[in-house]
C-alpha cells in the first residue's frame, strides 16, 4: 500500500486551516496512488497551544472527524491524524484512522506521555494495541514517545501489525529517534513503521521533521528533510512476508525468560 506522510505543523490553533492543509495533501496523495495519508501528532489543532488544547478538544466522532471522513471519501484515500480527544472532562492525545469510504476504523490514545507539557494537558490511554484492517494490511496506531518503548512495538508485532503508523511531534535534540530508533524498531519487530513528524518552531519546541517509512529490513523507504513536504513510499505485503520468513526474531523468542520485564 502506497503511504503518504504529511510532514507539516499545519496552522497551530486553527482547526479550519488544518483541515484545508489536510484536504490539499489528501488530494495530492490520492493522485500519486496512495491508499493512506498520515498526518502528525495533534495535527488537527496544533501541539504547543497551551490551554487551547482543552478548548479545541473533540470527541472521536465529533465535527472534525466528520469533516475528515468527507475528505477521505472525496479523495478516495484513508486518513490517519493526531488530535486532542475529549471524553467528558478528560482529554487524551489521540490518533484516529478513517477509511477511504469515511468509516472510522480505529482510535488510539497515547499511552506514554512525554514531559511536563503533556502530563499537564492529557490523560494517558490504557490500551497499547489498537489495529484495523486496511487494504490487505493490519494497520496499528501509536503516537511519538510510545514507539521509543520496545515493549510497546513488540506487543504490536505479536498482535500481527504489518504497518505501524506513528503520528509524531519529535523535537530537537532527539532527531536520532527518527534517524536510528525507528528503523531498528521496524527491523526487530518485522513490520513497516510510518513515522510522520511536525516541523519547525512552535511555542517552546523546535520540531525536527525527518519523517520516514522504514521497512522490516531496517531500511528507510523514504525520508523527509527539515521542511514541510509530502513524501510517499510503499508498504509491500509480499516483501514483508518474505522478510518475516527469513528473520527469526519472533520465532526465536523465549517468553518464559522475560517475566522480570513486567
Amino acid at each position: 500500500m502506497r503511504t503518504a506522510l504529511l510532514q507539516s505543523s499545519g496552522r497551530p490553533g486553527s482547526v479550519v486551516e488544518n483541515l484545508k492543509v489536510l484536504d490539499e495533501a489528501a488530494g495530492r496523495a490520492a493522485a500519486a496512488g496512495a491508499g493512506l495519508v498520515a498526518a502528525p501528532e495533534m495535527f488537527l489543532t496544533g501541539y504547543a497551544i497551551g490551554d487551547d488544547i482543552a478548548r479545541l478538544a473533540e470527541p472521536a466522532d465529533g465535527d472534525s472527524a466528520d469533516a475528515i471522513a468527507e475528505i477521505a471519501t472525496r479523495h478516495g484515500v484513508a486518513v490517519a491524524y493526531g488530535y486532542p480527544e475529549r471524553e467528558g472532562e478528560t482529554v487524551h492525545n489521540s490518533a484516529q484512522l478513517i477509511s477511504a469510504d469515511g468509516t472510522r476504523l480505529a482510535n488510539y490514545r497515547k499511552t506514554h506521555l512525554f514531559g511536563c507539557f503533556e502530563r499537564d494537558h492529557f490523560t494517558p490511554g490504557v490500551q497499547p494495541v489498537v489495529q484495523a484492517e486496511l487494504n490487505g494490511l493490519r494497520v496499528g496506531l501509536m503516537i511519538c514517545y510510545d514507539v521509543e518503548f520496545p515493549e510497546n512495538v513488540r506487543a504490536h508485532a505479536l498482535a500481527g501489525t504489518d504497518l505501524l503508523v506513528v503520528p509524531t511531534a519529535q523535537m530537537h535534540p532527539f532527531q536520532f529517534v527518527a534517524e536510528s530508533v525507528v528503523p531498528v524498531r521496524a527491523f526487530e519487530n518485522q513490520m513497516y513503521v510510518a513515522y510522520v513528524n511536525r516541523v519547525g518552531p512552535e511555542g517552546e519546541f523546535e520540531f525536527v521533521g525527518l519523517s520516514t517509512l522504514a521497512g522490516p529490513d531496517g531500511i528507510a523507504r523514504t525520508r523527509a528533510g527539515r521542511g514541510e513536504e509530502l513524501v510517499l513510499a510503499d508498504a509491500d505485503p509480499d516483501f514483508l512476508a518474505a522478510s518475516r520468513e527469513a528473520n527469526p526474531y519472533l520465532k526465536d523468542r523465549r517468553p518464559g525468560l522475560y517475566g522480570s520485564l513486567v
Side-chain angles (χ1 to χ4, degrees):
M1 177 175 64
R2 183 153 296 172
T3 302
L5 310 181
L6 172 57
Q7 179 167 287
S8 172
S9 289
R11 308 294 177 264
S14 176
V15 171
V16 170
E17 291 301 314
N18 291 329
L19 288 172
K20 290 179 181 177
V21 173
L22 183 58
D23 189 6
E24 189 273 339
R28 285 195 286 146
L36 169 66
V37 57
E41 182 176 4
M42 292 286 287
F43 182 77
L44 182 64
T45 60
Y47 180 90
I49 58 173
D51 291 340
D52 281 346
I53 289 173
R55 180 177 66 85
L56 296 174
E58 298 184 25
D61 60 353
D63 290 344
S64 292
D66 289 342
I68 293 172
E70 191 278 329
I71 289 170
T73 302
R74 179 156 39 83
H75 294 294
V77 63
V79 178
Y81 65 99
Y83 73 108
E85 179 192 356
R86 177 167 294 285
E87 184 187 40
E89 296 302 310
T90 300
V91 177
H92 299 281
N93 183 338
S94 296
Q96 184 150 231
L97 174 65
I98 296 179
S99 73
D101 67 4
T103 302
R104 292 190 303 111
L105 295 178
N107 188 71
Y108 170 78
R109 296 166 175 173
K110 190 173 186 178
T111 54
H112 295 76
L113 301 181
F114 179 78
C116 295
F117 178 84
E118 291 192 6
R119 289 192 288 270
D120 286 345
H121 289 95
F122 301 110
T123 296
V126 296
Q127 186 173 356
V129 177
V130 173
Q131 302 167 310
E133 300 296 323
L134 181 67
N135 298 342
L137 293 174
R138 184 169 295 179
V139 176
L141 295 174
M142 194 172 280
I143 300 174
C144 197
Y145 193 40
D146 290 327
V147 82
E148 297 175 41
F149 291 81
E151 302 90 343
N152 255 20
V153 187
R154 181 53 54 88
H156 269 274
L158 296 176
T161 293
D162 300 314
L163 170 62
L164 184 62
V165 178
V166 189
T168 293
Q170 183 59 264
M171 57 199 69
H172 177 81
F174 304 112
Q175 50 267 28
F176 67 88
V177 175
E179 295 169 337
S180 301
V181 174
V182 169
V184 169
R185 289 286 178 270
F187 177 71
E188 68 190 2
N189 291 289
Q190 288 299 289
M191 63 174 63
Y192 287 94
V193 179
Y195 187 79
V196 54
N197 200 10
R198 305 179 69 83
V199 65
E202 187 180 333
E204 62 186 284
F205 306 111
E206 176 76 28
F207 298 114
V208 300
L210 303 175
S211 300
T212 187
L213 178 67
D217 52 2
I219 296 173
R221 299 300 190 271
T222 188
R223 171 84 67 188
R226 298 297 186 96
E228 296 209 355
E229 57 183 304
L230 185 74
V231 296
L232 297 97
D234 293 330
D236 180 353
D238 292 333
F239 182 86
L240 180 59
S243 182
R244 286 173 169 172
E245 183 64 28
N247 188 302
Y249 275 143
L250 298 183
K251 298 174 185 175
D252 288 350
R253 292 174 66 252
R254 298 180 62 192
L257 302 179
Y258 309 149
S260 61
L261 294 179
V262 294

